[in-house]
Each structure stands twice: as structure tokens, then as C-alpha cells.
Amino acid sequence: MLRFLTRRTLGAAVILVIIAAVTFFLFFAVPADPARLACGKVCPPESLAQARHNLGMDQPIFVQFVTWLAGIFVGRDYEGLGHCPAPCLGYSFVNHAPVFATIIDRMPVTISLTLGSAAIFLVFGVGAGIIAALNQGKPLDKIASVASLIGASVQIYFVGTLAMYFLVFQWHIIERPQYVPFTDNPLQWAYGLLLPWIVLAIIFTANYTRMARSTMVEQLSEDYVRTARAKGMPARTVILRFALRGTLTPIATIFGIDVATLIGGAIITETTFSLQGIGRLSIQAVLNSDLPMLMATVLLAAAAIVVFNVIVDALYAVIDPRVRLS
């Protein structure tokens, strides 16, 4: 098990370096000149040359990449801009501040949005799927199937816009979403993000309901489950100890991907509800041609997916003993 995780971790590190290289070289493939963007609209040739020198862009591109990659681990000094502490992902062209500091400032919003919505759609989605599987062909199963089909068909921007219009502006049932730090007021933190959590849960719960239902139905027909029933084990023990553990394996896969995607930036959700998280930050970076910030958000999203894939691989052995034996 330890050897497997070591290989997966080393593989993930290699993938992250490759992604960093691709992201960096795409940074130079865009038509916009990073030095000119940093210099401003009115930029004489001598100022442009100084901006290139300050950003280290007067060096060969491979040297620039190595310097940029090393800055993530040990920091970097920019002439005229000062020291960028590790992990240094560059300087923003818009606010002239270290990119990583801006990301850290926005990260609590995205993390809060991810954790709250993930808890809701995981519990309700898996729960609804299990109930549907245990009542296969009955009204509860049909209701869950229809609800999951409807939930999978709608989009976040559609549901979010309708929820904002009716619940916030028209009926005044809930206040407009806003982020309050958890350490300041836990109740206001949850209340301010309740509507985005619900909207995300509506979309994601559908996938988990269908996945949990189909997998649970399959698990209930497995030989080891039928053997446990034949031995006279209580139904609750059979479901929780045997069938549920097999059901959670594919659930863990899509859950890891979904959480990583949300951490990388729930762009549509944050834009719909005007939340200043990583997703909104990436949109602003595109609109402002803030290339270092855009590079950092892309790298963050990729890193989240890679890291959570490693975590999911580790969870397989905990969830399913058959994986541990293999």
C-alpha cells in the first residue's frame, strides 16, 4: 500500500510539472505581450524594455521557465518590484501584488462553497440513491429517478438565476448570498452561502442519486451479499457492512473529481451569486488579460484534480478490502 501511494505521489508530481510547463509556454503563445500589459497602455520603448527586464523576460524562455518553477519553491526577486516569497506564482499585472497572496485571499470563499455544497449533495445524493435501490420498482424509486433526471438536465446558471430572482428579490425569503468568514460568525457564514449550496446540491445530487442507485442494485445481487443474507444477518448489517462499501467505491471517484473541480474554481456559481472566489478571480484575469493570475488559477485547478485523484486512490483501500488485497 505504501509503495503504491509512493508511486502515485511521484506520478502526480511529474504530471504537475508537465502541466506547469504547458501552462507556462501557453502563457507566451497568447497574442498579448505580458511586458506591455505590465507596462500599461502608454509605454515608451525604454519603459517596455525595463518592464521586460524586471519580469525577467529578456532571458531565454527555458531559463524563464526554470526561474518561474524555482520561484514556486524558494521564492523570487523581481527588479523594481521586490521579493516574491515562496510559493511565488508571479506578480499580477492588475493589482501589482503577488499572485499567490491574492489567491490565498480568495481561497476561503471557494473552500467554503465547496465544503458546504459537497456535504449536502453527497449525503442527499447517496441517501436518495440507496433508498431508491432498496425500493426498486416502487413509487419511491420512480420519484427519485424522475427527480434525478430533472436535476441532471438543468444548469447552474439557470437554477441560480431563478433562485436569486424569486427567493431573494421577489419573495424576500432569504438574503442575497455573501461571504462572512467562519471565524467571525459561523451562523452568518452558513446563512450567507446557503443559497449557493442548495443550487449546487440540486445539480450534483442528481448524479450521485443515479450512481448510488445503479451501484447499490448491482451490489445487492452480488454473491457475497446474498450469502450474508442466507446466513441470517440483519438487513441493516448486510446493507451497511457489505453492499454500501461496494457502492461507495465509484462514488468516491466522482466525488473526488467534483470536489477538485469546485476547489479549482466554481466559475459559473461564483459569477451567478457574485462571490469573490477563485472562479470569479479567473474570470477577472481573462477580462483584464492578467496572464500571471490566469496561469496560477489554471495551475491550481489542475493541481487540485491531481491531488484529489491520489487521495481517492488511497481511500479505495479503506472503503473496499478487495482493493487492499489486490
Side-chain angles (χ1 to χ4, degrees):
M1 182 63 184
L2 181 59
R3 182 182 302 175
F4 169 75
L5 290 179
T6 302
R7 290 200 308 266
R8 291 290 291 135
T9 303
L10 292 176
V14 173
I15 292 174
L16 286 178
V17 172
I18 295 174
I19 292 173
V22 172
T23 304
F24 183 84
F25 289 109
L26 285 177
F27 171 77
F28 287 90
V30 296
D33 184 356
R36 185 170 294 278
L37 291 172
C39 187
K41 293 182 179 179
V42 181
C43 185
E46 58 274 10
S47 298
L48 180 60
Q50 185 62 42
R52 288 182 178 277
H53 179 70
N54 291 341
L55 295 174
M57 298 184 64
D58 54 352
Q59 299 177 346
I61 186 170
F62 180 75
V63 175
Q64 294 182 47
F65 172 68
V66 173
T67 303
W68 177 77
L69 188 63
I72 298 178
F73 300 98
V74 298
R76 182 179 177 184
D77 291 320
Y78 288 92
E79 293 191 25
L81 297 174
H83 179 71
C84 178
C88 179
L89 298 175
Y91 264 83
S92 170
F93 295 161
V94 176
N95 55 22
H96 302 285
V99 168
F100 186 74
T102 306
I103 289 179
I104 290 298
D105 184 60
R106 299 289 189 94
M107 185 63 76
V109 179
T110 301
I111 294 293
S112 299
L113 183 65
T114 300
L115 294 181
S117 59
I120 294 175
F121 65 66
L122 180 64
V123 171
F124 283 92
V126 174
I130 293 175
I131 292 174
L134 296 178
N135 295 273
Q136 188 177 4
K138 297 180 181 179
L140 281 177
D141 182 24
K142 295 179 180 179
I143 293 173
S145 298
V146 172
S148 63
L149 181 61
I150 295 174
S153 303
V154 297
Q155 299 296 323
I156 294 176
Y157 60 83
F158 175 74
V159 179
T161 303
L162 287 181
M164 284 284 290
Y165 176 75
F166 287 106
L167 298 180
V168 177
F169 301 113
Q170 191 71 20
W171 298 334
H172 304 287
I173 296 177
I174 192 172
E175 295 181 2
R176 186 168 184 168
Q178 61 178 341
Y179 175 73
V180 176
F182 180 83
T183 54
D184 291 350
N185 192 323
L187 293 179
Q188 284 296 323
W189 169 80
Y191 184 71
L193 295 174
L194 181 60
L195 188 57
W197 287 350
I198 294 175
V199 171
L200 277 174
I202 291 174
I203 307 300
F204 283 91
T205 296
N207 296 329
Y208 287 85
T209 299
R210 291 186 300 171
M211 176 69 75
R213 180 194 178 278
S214 60
T215 310
M216 177 61 80
V217 169
E218 180 181 349
Q219 290 296 316
L220 291 174
S221 62
E222 290 286 345
D223 291 339
Y224 69 91
V225 174
R226 289 185 295 182
T227 301
R229 285 178 169 176
K231 289 183 176 180
M233 288 188 177
R236 178 182 297 180
T237 302
V238 173
I239 294 172
L240 296 180
R241 186 176 177 181
F242 297 101
L244 181 59
R245 298 187 73 173
T247 302
L248 291 179
T249 302
I251 296 295
T253 302
I254 62 172
F255 183 70
I257 295 174
D258 288 339
V259 171
T261 303
L262 290 175
I263 290 179
I267 296 176
I268 298 177
T269 306
E270 293 178 2
T271 303
T272 301
F273 296 103
S274 299
L275 296 173
Q276 300 298 325
I278 301 298
R280 189 74 179 274
L281 183 64
S282 63
I283 290 294
Q284 293 170 347
V286 172
L287 296 177
N288 297 324
S289 297
D290 192 356
L291 299 183
M293 186 68 71
L294 185 58
M295 284 177 56
T297 54
V298 171
L299 186 61
L300 173 66
I305 293 175
V306 171
V307 170
F308 271 89
N309 276 333
V310 175
I311 294 175
V312 167
D313 288 342
L315 287 176
Y316 283 162
V318 178
I319 295 173
D320 194 343
R322 293 173 297 179
V323 176
R324 192 161 56 242
L325 291 174
S326 62

